[in-house]
Amino acid sequence: MSAPDLALAEGARVLVVRMGALGDIVHALPLLAALRTHRPDVVVDWLVDARYAGVLALVDGLRRRVVVRAASAGVTPEEVRFAGVTGMASAIAHLRAQGYEAALDLQGLIKSAAFARLSGARRVIGFVRSQLREPAAGWLYGERVTGPAGGHVVEKNLAMLPALDVPSAGLVFPWRPVTSDVTAAVLASEPVVRAGGFALMNPGAAWENKRWPPARFGALAAQLGERLALPSVVTWGPSERARAEEVVAASHGHAVASPPTALPDLLALARAARLVVSGDTGPLHLAASVGAPIVGLFGPTRPERNGPWRADDLSVSRAATCECFHKRQCLRGRACIEEIAVEEVFAACAHRLQTRAAS
């Protein structure tokens, strides 16, 4: 195709299909930022699963979120929701009525490719079969893009832009300004005021084999407190409070559990933290997107693909020896992330804090 064939028409409508999960949606936001920067005339909708729609409410550049598997149907100026499995047909009918010029499937699953195809978009664009999680999805695309070999998933998503004749805007995440009473309370607490900051720890993850043991998070918090005079705040999500309390109990008084947090609170806490320590999970990627100093912990996933991307950030990884790579359950009875020692992570934290101070 020549460049004029690739370019979107004035005022074109584009559908982004990235239904989940939280971190994967974060990794797709620079594509939205590029469209917003270089083609502000283009109208962008985003198809998303209801479990992850909240993060898109925090970004600029979208006309509307098209939410499937919602608890109830409804329409607002920024969102249209379709309830349950029975709402899927209505969602497809809605998509087909929008007149999309292009549908971009960033997920690479049969279901996401099917939505992109059934949207009725004139151009349906996905990745080449070798870069799809479910290669059969490739049959549903009219155009296929090759992402960089072995690169970060953010770079893979940005590889879609040349197909639309749109340049990248770089690693830009179009977050709206947020306020957070939780963060204000943390910053006003006596230990944080005395120390001049805090470390943010996230011990949870959707996959059990991505979770570093709570006792080790607690031991790390103890070392940060005793050796660097840095207190820790431990975040927790649904069903994770007990895990956070285990971390606090093992910290010898150097960590506290955060109050209940919503997504805006997580963004604000990450922005305010002197350091963020987390496994490969949504809060890590939120923190990376706002430029927080990071030490990431990796077992069954590769940090060069999923990890923090700033040169100063550090990842402690056992992916090279993992036997259950990209599997949700460990195949050998002991998750490889458990081989990571507290002292190794502390050394990475101390180094990252040093480079942060020097920058």
Side-chain angles (χ1 to χ4, degrees), residues 27 29-30 33 152 154-155 158 168-174 288-289 309-310:
H27 289 152
L29 292 179
H152 198 283
V154 173
E155 298 170 341
L158 290 175
S168 172
L171 297 180
V172 176
F173 296 83
S289 74
W309 47 83
R310 293 175 59 187

Side-chain angles (χ1 to χ4, degrees), residues 171-320:
L171 297 180
V172 176
F173 296 83
W175 299 116
R176 295 175 176 173
V178 297
T179 59
S180 168
D181 292 340
V182 169
T183 303
V186 167
L187 290 172
S189 65
E190 191 273 334
V192 172
V193 171
R194 185 173 65 248
F198 65 96
L200 189 67
M201 293 190 175
N202 178 64
W207 303 4
E208 182 61 37
N209 56 355
K210 287 185 178 182
R211 299 175 185 171
W212 202 43
R216 296 193 198 175
F217 270 106
L220 176 65
Q223 290 206 28
L224 290 173
E226 292 164 4
R227 298 166 65 177
L228 301 179
L230 184 65
S232 295
V233 175
V234 185
T235 63
W236 49 278
S239 75
E240 293 178 342
R241 184 162 193 164
R243 192 175 188 89
E245 289 173 349
E246 285 186 65
V247 177
V248 172
S251 74
H252 298 171
H254 292 285
V256 296
S258 73
T261 55
L263 285 171
D265 300 311
L266 283 174
L267 278 173
L269 282 168
R271 280 195 178 104
R274 286 175 56 191
L275 178 72
V276 175
V277 184
S278 175
D280 178 12
T281 187
L284 175 78
H285 309 306
L286 286 172
S289 74
V290 297
I294 287 172
V295 171
L297 309 178
F298 289 80
T301 54
R302 291 193 179 98
E304 57 268 27
R305 182 187 185 278
N306 290 24
W309 47 83
R310 293 175 59 187
D312 288 343
D313 287 332
L314 298 173
S315 296
V316 183
S317 174
R318 291 297 183 271

Side-chain angles (χ1 to χ4, degrees), residues 75-86:
V75 179
T76 70
E78 293 188 334
E79 183 177 87
V80 55
R81 301 186 307 276
F82 298 93
V85 175
T86 58

